[in-house]
């Protein structure tokens, strides 16, 4: 194929005059190349776009006419090597100039004699993001070197103007700076990203460099003067309204015809949203890892607490009222209760507790807790309520919702401590969320929500504290004043209830914790719960529990109530035992080695279809995540007392008998 030479616009065309855009263009050259093609289509000079592998992407109208005038088919050129079009032998100055521009990503200009006739061609090579543009024009008619030089300068100026048009139409933020960092060009995409107009910044040093990055920027400016390029360099930049953006900066040096660096062309990508998503992922992974640890610890700890509370209760029943050891046993029981509360917080934080959701009116729950909340704040500040009377219902566990509210109020109480005129406001409202979560770095889930705000006018928090506010065991309190699990627990409960938590705070300006729970149209159930008297019976109970101490506590507690008790350490032993005995109720642990409780129950019901089974567990991760138990399945959470076990057993026996009774 011949070397292209510009021809007159009057040459007849034998190929389609529209831009040649091969089907592979977007895949190989990117969407930017597709946007570029229409911009250069009607430029008078021949234009060829190539990628950095020297493959031809497309030719503009002048170049295609040039090909056609020489008897070549321009439609077959895209995809071929540029050296099939520009027949420059290896080692020639012209070929070396093109190769240097492609390799170093720097613009270049040269004049070369035609290889197929007595003519001269001027060529500009302009590197872009995904390839290079080659502009070429006929320079044969120049009558003198001076005229050629002047024309070349005019052509270069025109070429620069065309490049400016391309930059202004680019979707990326692109700017040109001189060696001192003074802005020479600031394209519309940069205006959109940083909010400063070109008129405000051209002729001035860059306005968006944060003070803590100024030293790094100045060092990079020195390196740029030396001809160094930068690709996807992470940095932070300030928007005109003060918002800090996470960006990636790519920069290439601009050179004059003598090769001296005159400045840099800079491309900037806003990756703020991407960074937020990365941080969200890291937080989720961290919460998951700590959650697994917390859940495992809680499971073993709850077994120990069940044994401690159980044997303590049994011992209390065996001594007289005047026995001094009763006081010591009471203190042991209180300590076990405090340990159980801490374990419950671990499970709530790690989202591994078994929730019993109901249709709730948050206003009612807040009113029920109002007296307790006022007592909490009595020495610190005022409690104010702003409750929406038309508030919708939420589907949530009542106890967990109360824990969320108490933890947030306690956190607010600590924030207002020692400040005059301090107050805590609890506000409820109905909200419709659309795309508000987009800026929060979480997956948006638009819909109808009930919003609970706990607002204080306390000390507030800085950005560093806000970034860690929901981290487990993170606290700003003095040692011995708090576990650092309060807000982590709130986060875990709300997320497990399909909700969101948002915090707005600044130093000395207080804080607002906003909880969003999905609104529900499920009717509120009237609770039929009543106090269960721990009365006994004569039925036969099979206890299946792998922890020896828990199994002995359960057996002894039920035997004291008059029951006949069988016990087994695992599912296989329990199945064997059930074959030779009449059993009225099975009490089984969920997480056991060899065979899980639900699997054991399924095998048992194959031979005893009407035998009721009640489960107990101190670690409900698999219950929650894998759906091992239906929420309506009889369940007793560890740790429990002998009285609680006896009461629950009696309740299930009576319920089972009522179901068998003919109506």
């Amino acid at each position: 194929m011949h070397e292209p030479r510009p021809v007159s616009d009057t040459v007849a065309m034998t190929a389609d005059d529209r831009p040649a855009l091969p089907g592979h263009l977007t895949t190989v050259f990117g969407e930017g190349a597709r946007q570029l093609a229409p911009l250069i289509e009607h430029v008078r000079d021949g234009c060829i776009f190539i990628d950095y592998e020297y493959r031809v992407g497309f030719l503009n109208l002048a170049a295609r006419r040039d090909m056609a005038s020489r008897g070549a088919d321009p439609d077959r050129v895209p995809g071929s090597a540029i050296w099939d079009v520009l027949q420059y032998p290896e080692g020639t100055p012209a070929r070396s100039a093109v190769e240097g521009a492609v390799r170093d990503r720097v613009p270049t200009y040269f004049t070369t004699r035609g290889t197929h006739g007595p003519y001269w061609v001027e060529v500009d090579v302009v590197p872009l993001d995904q390839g290079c543009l080659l502009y070429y024009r006929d320079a044969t008619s120049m009558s003198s070197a001076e005229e050629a030089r002047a024309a070349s300068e005019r052509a270069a100026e025109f070429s620069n103007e065309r490049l400016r048009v391309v930059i202004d139409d680019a979707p990326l933020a692109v700017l040109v700076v001189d060696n001192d960092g003074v802005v020479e060009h600031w394209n519309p995409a940069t205006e959109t990203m940083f909010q400063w107009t070109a008129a405000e910044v051209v002729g001035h040093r860059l306005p968006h460099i944060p003070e803590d990055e100024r030293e790094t920027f100045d060092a990079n400016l020195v390196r740029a003067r030396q001809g160094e390029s930068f690709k996807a360099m992470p940095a932070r930049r300030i928007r005109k309204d003060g918002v800090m953006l996470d960006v990636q900066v790519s920069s290439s040096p601009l050179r004059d015809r003598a090769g001296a660096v005159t400045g840099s062309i800079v491309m900037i990508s806003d990756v703020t949203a991407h960074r937020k998503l990365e941080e969200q992922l890291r937080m989720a992974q961290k919460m998951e890892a700590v959650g697994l640890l917390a859940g495992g610890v809680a499971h073993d700890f709850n077994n120990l607490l069940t044994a401690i509370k159980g044997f303590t209760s049994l011992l209390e029943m065996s001594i007289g009222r005047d026995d001094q050891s009763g006081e010591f046993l009471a203190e042991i029981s209180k300590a076990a209760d405090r340990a159980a509360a801490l374990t419950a917080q671990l499970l709530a934080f790690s989202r591994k507790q078994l929730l019993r959701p109901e249709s709730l009116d948050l206003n009612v729950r807040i009113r029920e807790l109002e007296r307790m909340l006022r007592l909490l704040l009595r020495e610190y500040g005022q409690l104010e309520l702003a409750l929406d009377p038309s508030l919708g219902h939420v589907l949530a566990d009542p106890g967990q919702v109360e824990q969320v509210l108490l933890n947030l109020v306690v956190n607010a109480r600590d924030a207002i401590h020692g400040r005059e005129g301090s107050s805590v406001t609890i506000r409820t409202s109905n909200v419709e969320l659309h795309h508000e979560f987009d800026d929060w770095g979480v997956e948006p889930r638009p819909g109808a929500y009930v919003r609970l705000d706990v607002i204080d006018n306390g000390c507030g928090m800085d950005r560093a504290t806000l970034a860690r506010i929901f981290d487990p065991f993170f606290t700003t309190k003095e040692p011995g004043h708090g576990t650092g699990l309060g807000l982590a627990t709130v986060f875990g409960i709300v997320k497990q209830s399909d909700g969101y938590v948002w915090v707005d705070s600044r130093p000395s300006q207080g804080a607002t914790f906003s909880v969003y729970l999905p609104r529900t149209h499920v009717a509120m159930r009237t609770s039929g719960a009543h106090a269960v008297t721990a009365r006994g019976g004569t039925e036969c109970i099979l206890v299946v529990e792998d922890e020896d101490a828990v199994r002995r506590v359960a057996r002894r507690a039920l035997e004291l109530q008059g029951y006949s008790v069988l016990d087994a350490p695992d599912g296989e032993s329990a199945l064997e035992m059930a074959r030779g005995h009449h059993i009225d109720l099975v009490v089984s642990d969920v997480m056991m080695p060899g065979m899980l409780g639900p699997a054991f129950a399924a095998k048992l019901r194959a031979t005893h279809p009407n035998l009721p089974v009640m489960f107990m567990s101190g670690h409900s991760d698999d219950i929650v995540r894998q759906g091992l138990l239906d929420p309506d399945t009889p369940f007793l959470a560890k740790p429990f007392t002998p009285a609680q076990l006896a009461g629950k057993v009696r309740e299930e026996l009576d319920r089972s008998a009522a179901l068998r009774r003919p109506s």
Side-chain angles (χ1 to χ4, degrees):
M1 189 178 295
H2 295 294
E3 176 188 13
R5 180 185 180 189
V7 297
S8 169
D9 290 346
T10 60
V11 175
M13 275 297 295
T14 59
D16 191 349
D17 280 1
R18 293 171 299 173
L21 299 176
H24 68 282
L25 180 62
T26 302
T27 302
V28 177
F29 295 96
E31 187 61 28
R34 182 178 291 278
Q35 296 174 356
L36 178 63
L39 298 176
I40 66 172
E41 173 65 6
H42 296 289
V43 173
R44 292 183 58 187
D45 296 335
C47 295
I48 304 174
F49 183 82
I50 65 172
D51 67 5
Y52 286 111
E53 299 297 327
Y54 300 99
R55 291 173 298 182
V56 177
F58 57 88
L59 306 92
N60 74 342
L61 179 58
R64 295 199 304 279
R65 286 175 172 173
D66 186 33
M67 295 291 102
S69 71
R70 299 177 182 279
D73 183 359
D75 292 332
R76 300 183 62 181
V77 173
S80 62
I82 186 60
W83 308 124
D84 293 337
V85 180
L86 302 178
Q87 296 180 351
Y88 300 150
E90 288 191 25
T92 60
R95 181 156 178 164
S96 297
V98 175
E99 290 174 339
V102 172
R103 181 185 62 251
D104 299 330
R105 307 290 201 271
V106 295
T108 192
Y109 162 86
F110 61 91
T111 302
T112 183
R113 182 181 293 274
T115 56
H116 298 283
Y119 58 88
W120 286 84
V121 179
E122 284 185 333
V123 182
D124 281 280
V125 185
V126 181
L128 299 175
D129 188 35
Q130 293 161 324
C132 291
L133 270 178
L134 281 74
Y135 298 88
Y136 64 92
R137 66 200 67 81
D138 193 347
T140 308
S141 61
M142 302 299 180
S143 59
S144 65
E146 186 63 33
E147 182 180 0
R149 187 162 47 252
S152 176
E153 290 175 356
R154 289 194 300 272
E157 184 178 340
F158 183 57
S159 178
N160 289 338
E161 184 59 33
R162 287 197 302 270
L163 179 59
R164 190 181 300 273
V165 171
V166 172
I167 289 175
D168 283 347
D169 287 335
L172 281 177
V174 182
L175 55 144
V176 177
V177 296
D178 66 13
N179 285 333
D180 295 320
V182 174
V183 179
E184 293 183 345
H185 192 72
W186 183 270
N187 79 337
T190 314
E191 291 184 344
T192 301
M193 182 180 294
F194 295 110
Q195 299 181 348
W196 279 286
T197 65
E200 292 176 297
V201 297
V202 171
H204 303 281
R205 286 178 62 85
L206 288 167
H208 60 355
I209 310 299
E211 282 303 319
D212 58 350
E213 294 221 355
R214 176 65 63 181
E215 184 176 346
T216 301
F217 172 78
D218 289 340
N220 289 335
L221 195 61
V222 172
R223 294 163 61 190
R225 289 194 201 110
Q226 297 169 352
E228 190 170 342
S229 296
F230 304 95
K231 293 191 179 299
M233 182 179 62
R236 292 182 307 122
R237 296 292 181 261
I238 303 173
R239 208 164 62 187
K240 186 177 181 180
D241 60 2
V243 172
M244 191 71 70
L245 302 180
D246 290 308
V247 299
Q248 285 186 338
V249 181
S250 298
S251 172
S252 295
L254 293 175
R255 301 175 185 271
D256 59 20
R257 298 194 177 189
V261 175
T262 60
S264 299
I265 181 168
V266 182
M267 288 174 285
I268 303 177
S269 301
D270 184 358
V271 294
T272 305
H274 181 69
R275 291 285 183 268
K276 285 183 179 179
L277 290 175
E278 286 182 341
E279 183 60 31
Q280 191 76 12
L281 176 61
R282 282 193 292 270
M283 171 62 78
Q285 290 172 334
K286 180 166 58 176
M287 296 287 270
E288 182 66 20
V290 179
L292 289 172
L293 174 64
V297 170
H299 170 249
D300 295 337
F301 202 44
N302 276 332
N303 277 333
L304 295 173
L305 288 174
T306 301
I308 293 170
K309 289 170 65 70
F311 284 121
T312 300
S313 181
L314 293 174
L315 188 57
E316 285 177 326
M317 289 187 287
S318 67
I319 64 174
R321 291 186 177 180
D322 297 331
D323 195 318
Q324 283 187 334
S325 59
E327 179 183 349
F328 304 144
L329 292 173
E331 289 302 319
I332 293 173
S333 183
K334 289 179 183 178
D337 287 340
R338 288 195 296 271
L342 181 59
T343 307
Q345 278 192 304
L346 283 171
L347 288 173
F349 143 70
S350 57
R351 290 175 260 171
K352 290 178 171 58
Q353 78 276 47
L354 183 63
L355 300 184
R356 302 285 182 169
E358 299 177 10
S359 181
L360 301 178
D361 183 338
L362 288 186
N363 287 349
V364 173
R365 292 289 165 178
I366 293 169
R367 290 294 185 190
E368 290 174 349
L369 292 172
E370 182 178 358
R371 184 172 182 277
M372 181 192 301
L373 298 176
R374 292 193 184 279
L375 287 174
L376 276 174
L377 297 172
R378 180 174 54 189
E379 298 177 4
Y380 297 84
Q382 296 296 318
L383 174 66
E384 299 176 5
L385 302 182
L387 309 182
D388 184 349
S390 62
L391 193 69
H393 288 176
V394 298
L395 195 62
D397 185 300
Q400 299 301 325
V401 168
E402 290 178 4
Q403 187 173 358
V404 166
L405 183 59
L406 284 171
N407 284 0
L408 291 179
V409 171
V410 168
N411 187 74
R413 179 199 66 184
D414 295 339
I416 64 175
H417 178 60
R419 299 174 71 90
E420 293 186 8
S422 56
S423 65
V424 175
T425 301
I426 300 175
R427 183 171 61 202
T428 59
S429 58
N430 296 314
V431 294
E432 293 285 339
L433 293 177
H434 301 288
H435 301 290
E436 287 83 350
F437 292 138
D438 289 348
D439 294 332
W440 297 2
V442 299
E443 182 179 351
R445 190 176 300 167
Y449 287 78
V450 167
R451 174 173 172 171
L452 167 67
D453 293 321
V454 176
I455 309 163
D456 68 71
N457 59 355
C459 58
M461 292 170 282
D462 57 24
R463 289 171 61 93
T465 303
L466 283 174
R468 301 187 60 193
I469 195 69
F470 294 116
D471 282 7
F473 309 111
F474 172 75
T475 179
T476 57
K477 300 173 185 175
E478 297 177 359
H481 294 78
T483 62
L485 282 175
L487 293 178
T489 299
V490 170
F491 181 88
I493 292 174
V494 173
K495 294 302 292 183
Q496 193 174 354
S497 301
D498 295 325
Y500 297 90
V501 187
W502 184 248
V503 188
D504 183 23
S505 181
R506 290 175 179 78
S508 302
Q509 296 185 28
T512 298
F513 284 80
S514 300
V515 174
Y516 297 82
L517 295 174
R519 221 179 305 166
T520 182
H521 299 292
V522 176
M524 180 178 287
R525 294 185 299 183
T526 302
S527 175
H530 55 277
V532 178
T533 303
R535 57 190 178 85
T538 59
E539 292 90 342
C540 182
I541 313 298
L542 172 59
V543 176
V544 189
E545 166 64 60
D546 62 297
E547 187 70 31
D548 180 66
V550 176
R551 191 170 65 251
R552 286 190 288 119
V553 164
R555 178 173 188 134
R556 185 61 180 149
L558 295 175
E559 285 177 338
L560 287 174
Q561 295 295 329
Y563 296 105
S564 174
V565 182
L566 303 171
D567 64 77
D570 53 58
E572 290 293 344
S573 302
L575 289 172
E576 185 65 29
M577 195 170 290
R579 294 188 183 100
H581 297 82
H582 170 77
I583 299 171
D584 297 292
L585 175 68
V586 175
V587 178
S588 174
D589 192 18
V590 175
M591 307 302 294
M592 296 185 295
M595 184 186 302
L596 297 179
F600 153 70
K603 286 190 175 183
L604 181 65
R605 289 195 177 106
T607 55
H608 299 73
N610 297 319
L611 181 57
V613 178
M614 182 182 88
F615 290 99
M616 55 185 177
S617 181
H619 178 15
S620 50
D621 178 38
D622 292 295
I623 298 173
V624 175
R625 294 177 182 270
Q626 300 180 22
L628 294 180
L629 294 184
D630 185 271
D632 294 326
T633 300
F635 180 80
L636 180 63
K638 297 177 184 177
F640 51 77
T641 64
Q644 289 171 331
L645 174 63
K648 188 67 175 178
V649 164
R650 185 71 260 163
E651 179 185 334
E652 292 308 317
L653 286 169
D654 292 345
R655 187 173 69 89
S656 178
L659 291 174
R660 294 195 301 269
R661 193 178 300 126
S663 57

